Amino acid sequence: MEDAEIYQLAGEVLSCITNDTNDTIYAPLGGKLSICWSEKEIYGAYASSLSQSDKPPQHSITIYYEFVRQVWRDIEDFCEFLRSRPEGDFAPYEFYDNHAKLPGCFNEDEHVRNMFIAAITWVYFHELGHLLQEHGIIRHEFGPRGDEAMQTTDVHDFEVSHHKPINDREALVSHVTELAADFAATIFYATDLLRHIEDPSFADAQERPEVLCGTLYLMVCGLSLVFFRFNGSKPIVPIADVEGSHPRPLTRLELLLSQICEYLGAIEMETGHSFNQELLEVLCAKAVFFTTLYWSSTNTEDDDFYVRFLLRGGQSSPANMQYLQPIVAIWDEILPRIKEVRRFHSPLILMRFTETFREKLSSVSTQGTSPEANATAVTPSSPGEFRISSQ
């Protein structure tokens, strides 16, 4: 596909979502959501709020053309990489009962297209999560600048900041709002996915389980590629410090996988679809394994597979748990204010940490020299710890 065709497809998809969001959320509030495009060669997107919390929302989401172009090219290369490798050419691959690297319910063009749409849609929903919870206002009110908050607030994402590095409370507030936007994006996307799957014109009842699994698998692949591109060639390094404007990309990916499994596993009891927790975990793990294999084999110095790129298990990583301790504390502090200024009152998109998770978190040592700080965990995250809010 030519670059112009990529831009056109992205524009059609995101404009459609914008129109629907205006009709359902912004119009009743007397506000407006706009989508803008930038020609700057930046891999990223950002959200802007031009309104005060007590006024109708005037929001916009800006996507860089370079972002959607690169996402498409990464997905193309990824699919070609998998198709070019003979079956059974890599030992850990044999762990999975289903040896298909890409779902058979879609053809080659659909693999790329569906992965692309899922990836850019999730990123769009991430920006929407910032806006609907007015994270710009939250950052200015709870960060070190306080009363110096500007009326125009931009929240940049998936873009490496060239400004002065931030630390301490400013970094903490920035990190927690990024994770909260990730959480909202995943709920938005998963809900939209289920809505499409249940449409008879998308898949009939007999095909639905396979199509649902295939679509989710492609979504995880596409989203993983976004985070690997944002991460670059750096392997996972378990660090508990909160620094910079964004959480580490692969840490975010680990937490997202837990949330995807948790949310869709809960939906199973309500809708009767075919997912179960074990199936979800295996499906997500397989998708991330193949994107890790691709990325480390094509974007590292030696172009070879490295175990150090494998995800460490999210909440079962001691360093991640240490990282999340101040995150949970600051979230508890700012959540009441978010509930006051938010533009969308569905409880589903509010990040919540369960009591089980909080108890586990409190048992992790905060000392940098502790065994927990130096341990490397590789087991999957436990279900039931990072879930939707019931508030």
Side-chain angles (χ1 to χ4, degrees):
M1 184 180 284
E2 298 296 326
D3 288 355
E5 295 174 298
I6 298 172
Y7 305 147
Q8 181 179 358
L9 174 60
E12 291 172 353
V13 171
L14 299 185
S15 292
C16 182
I17 297 174
T18 302
N19 292 337
D20 288 344
T21 305
N22 269 311
D23 291 341
T24 58
I25 297 176
Y26 283 83
L29 297 174
K32 183 179 180 181
L33 174 66
S34 302
I35 183 168
C36 306
W37 294 87
S38 175
E39 295 182 358
K40 293 182 180 179
E41 293 188 4
I42 293 174
Y43 184 84
Y46 66 91
S48 300
S49 175
L50 303 177
S51 58
Q52 298 173 338
S53 61
D54 59 345
K55 304 293 184 182
Q58 299 297 320
H59 293 163
S60 67
I61 295 173
T62 299
I63 308 290
Y64 293 99
Y65 284 114
E66 174 60 19
F67 172 75
V68 296
R69 187 200 67 81
Q70 187 63 65
V71 169
W72 181 278
R73 298 304 178 207
D74 283 341
I75 291 170
E76 272 188 330
D77 291 346
F78 168 68
C79 292
E80 180 57 32
F81 171 84
L82 292 186
R83 296 185 189 110
S84 68
R85 298 184 76 94
E87 299 297 320
D89 66 333
F90 197 75
Y93 158 80
E94 299 295 337
F95 170 78
Y96 302 103
D97 292 334
N98 182 350
H99 291 177
K101 298 184 179 77
L102 292 167
C105 54
F106 300 111
N107 61 38
E108 292 186 3
D109 290 340
E110 290 169 337
H111 289 150
V112 177
R113 183 185 178 92
N114 289 345
M115 217 179 291
F116 173 75
I117 291 174
I120 65 171
T121 298
W122 186 93
V123 170
Y124 180 97
F125 283 149
H126 173 93
E127 304 304 331
L128 185 61
H130 279 311
L131 294 171
L132 293 181
Q133 296 180 43
E134 291 289 5
H135 286 164
I137 292 174
I138 296 299
R139 289 183 180 186
H140 282 295
E141 289 186 355
F142 287 85
R145 289 168 291 190
D147 294 337
E148 298 176 9
M150 296 180 297
Q151 187 172 3
T152 300
T153 303
D154 292 344
V155 179
H156 291 258
D157 285 305
F158 298 99
E159 175 187 346
V160 178
S161 175
H162 298 291
H163 302 292
K164 184 178 71 172
I166 61 174
N167 295 286
D168 303 323
R169 185 176 176 85
E170 185 178 3
L172 189 57
V173 173
S174 183
H175 279 227
V176 76
T177 49
E178 289 300 332
L179 294 177
D182 285 353
F183 192 97
T186 303
I187 298 300
F188 277 131
Y189 181 85
T191 302
D192 197 53
L193 170 64
L194 292 173
R195 179 174 61 83
H196 279 293
I197 291 296
E198 292 173 354
D199 184 346
S201 66
F202 189 85
D204 62 34
Q206 187 174 4
E207 298 172 329
R208 193 167 296 149
E210 182 183 7
V211 172
L212 180 54
C213 287
T215 303
L216 179 61
Y217 179 86
L218 294 178
M219 178 264 185
V220 175
C221 287
L223 191 54
S224 298
L225 290 171
V226 168
F227 279 107
F228 269 108
R229 170 63 64 181
F230 188 38
N231 181 74
S233 59
K234 303 182 295 293
I236 292 178
V237 178
I239 298 176
D241 294 339
V242 179
E243 56 187 15
S245 61
H246 288 67
R248 287 173 174 79
L250 300 187
T251 299
R252 291 169 69 179
L253 181 58
E254 288 178 320
L255 297 175
L256 283 174
L257 296 181
S258 295
Q259 186 195 353
I260 290 170
C261 294
E262 182 70 28
Y263 179 67
L264 290 180
I267 291 295
E268 175 187 19
M269 295 180 292
E270 299 173 11
T271 65
H273 72 72
S274 61
F275 278 149
N276 59 57
Q277 198 70 37
E278 182 179 1
L279 172 63
L280 284 165
E281 290 175 1
V282 170
L283 185 150
C284 291
K286 180 182 175 184
V288 173
F289 170 75
F290 281 127
T291 51
T292 304
L293 173 62
Y294 158 74
W295 192 263
S296 63
S297 298
T298 58
N299 289 275
T300 55
E301 184 176 347
D302 299 329
D303 287 341
D304 199 4
F305 179 75
Y306 289 108
V307 174
R308 67 177 183 269
F309 273 95
L310 291 173
L311 303 191
R312 302 296 184 181
Q315 297 159 27
S316 59
S317 164
N320 281 356
M321 295 296 283
Q322 287 184 320
Y323 165 78
L324 287 170
Q325 286 175 326
I327 293 292
V328 172
I330 195 69
W331 179 248
D332 289 344
E333 180 182 346
I334 69 177
L335 182 57
R337 180 58 174 156
I338 286 179
K339 289 180 178 180
E340 290 177 354
V341 301
R342 60 180 167 161
R343 305 297 189 156
F344 184 58
H345 287 258
S346 169
L348 294 180
I349 70 168
L350 288 176
M351 185 167 65
R352 175 174 177 249
F353 301 93
T354 67
E355 290 305 316
T356 300
F357 174 75
R358 290 171 182 272
E359 291 174 4
K360 182 177 179 181
L361 198 66
S362 65
S363 69
V364 176
S365 172
T366 58
Q367 300 299 317
T369 57
S370 69
E372 291 91 346
N374 297 317
T376 301
V378 296
T379 53
S381 301
S382 301
E385 296 175 345
F386 187 71
R387 65 170 70 218
I388 59 176
S389 172
S390 59
Q391 301 181 43

